[in-house]
Amino acid sequence: YNLKFKVYDRKHTQTDVLANVSITVKELSHESVINSGSIRVSGISDEDFVRVWDYKSKRHQRSKTDRLRHKLADLLNTEHEDVDVFSVQLREKNPPVTDVRFSAYKPPYYKPVRLNGLILLHREEVLLAWW
């Protein structure tokens, strides 16, 4: 879904600022949630993790979510469409700490111990994929 709305920013006293949000709804099976891996990322907020707009260069970029999907697909030797990042939640605000849950399917679903082990084993590669 693509939503368009007007925003009032009290902090910067801006009124009637146009904003757009894209929402993708995807049905997940119970099995994908049960077989999910997780990571906790410090120094990145939930908003930064899903953001596609780079304020510095003023252009679109691939989100860290998408980069994680592609990196996991590469490490698992599967298609990125078979990797779901389905939960990105801010755990602490200052400094930002974000929890991310993901699953991968090649049938069957990869087990959480394998997904978490893969992230741990390739931690530096995964982090470099975000920057």
Side-chain angles (χ1 to χ4, degrees):
Y1 299 96
N2 291 315
L3 305 177
K4 296 180 182 185
F5 50 94
K6 291 183 181 178
V7 178
Y8 173 75
D9 186 343
R10 291 183 187 139
K11 183 176 180 181
H12 298 100
T13 62
Q14 296 174 325
T15 59
D16 294 332
V17 176
L18 296 177
N20 299 315
V21 175
S22 298
I23 299 173
T24 303
V25 178
K26 183 174 180 179
E27 186 174 351
L28 294 174
S29 70
H30 179 71
E31 187 178 5
S32 70
V33 176
I34 296 300
N35 288 301
S36 64
S38 63
I39 55 174
R40 178 165 287 164
V41 184
S42 60
I44 300 174
S45 72
D46 52 348
E47 290 180 15
D48 291 336
F49 204 80
V50 300
R51 179 173 287 125
V52 295
W53 182 255
D54 184 351
Y55 291 103
K56 292 177 186 172
S57 66
K58 297 192 184 325
R59 60 185 180 153
H60 281 89
Q61 65 181 7
R62 279 178 52 202
S63 68
K64 289 175 177 55
T65 306
D66 194 47
R67 293 178 201 179
L68 176 61
R69 286 181 62 221
H70 280 81
K71 179 48 77 178
L72 285 170
D74 289 346
L75 293 173
L76 292 165
N77 196 25
T78 190
E79 300 297 321
H80 72 272
E81 292 88 3
D82 296 330
V83 177
D84 288 315
V85 177
F86 59 86
S87 178
V88 178
Q89 295 183 342
L90 187 65
R91 180 162 178 86
E92 293 178 25
K93 193 171 186 174
N94 239 339
V97 176
T98 301
D99 290 340
V100 180
R101 296 197 67 82
F102 56 90
S103 63
Y105 182 79
K106 186 179 179 171
Y109 281 95
Y110 289 98
K111 298 295 181 194
V113 68
R114 181 164 183 196
L115 295 173
N116 291 333
L118 191 69
I119 290 287
L120 188 58
L121 187 62
H122 297 278
R123 181 179 179 179
E124 293 300 319
E125 269 184 79
V126 172
L127 291 174
L128 286 174
W130 293 334
W131 308 109

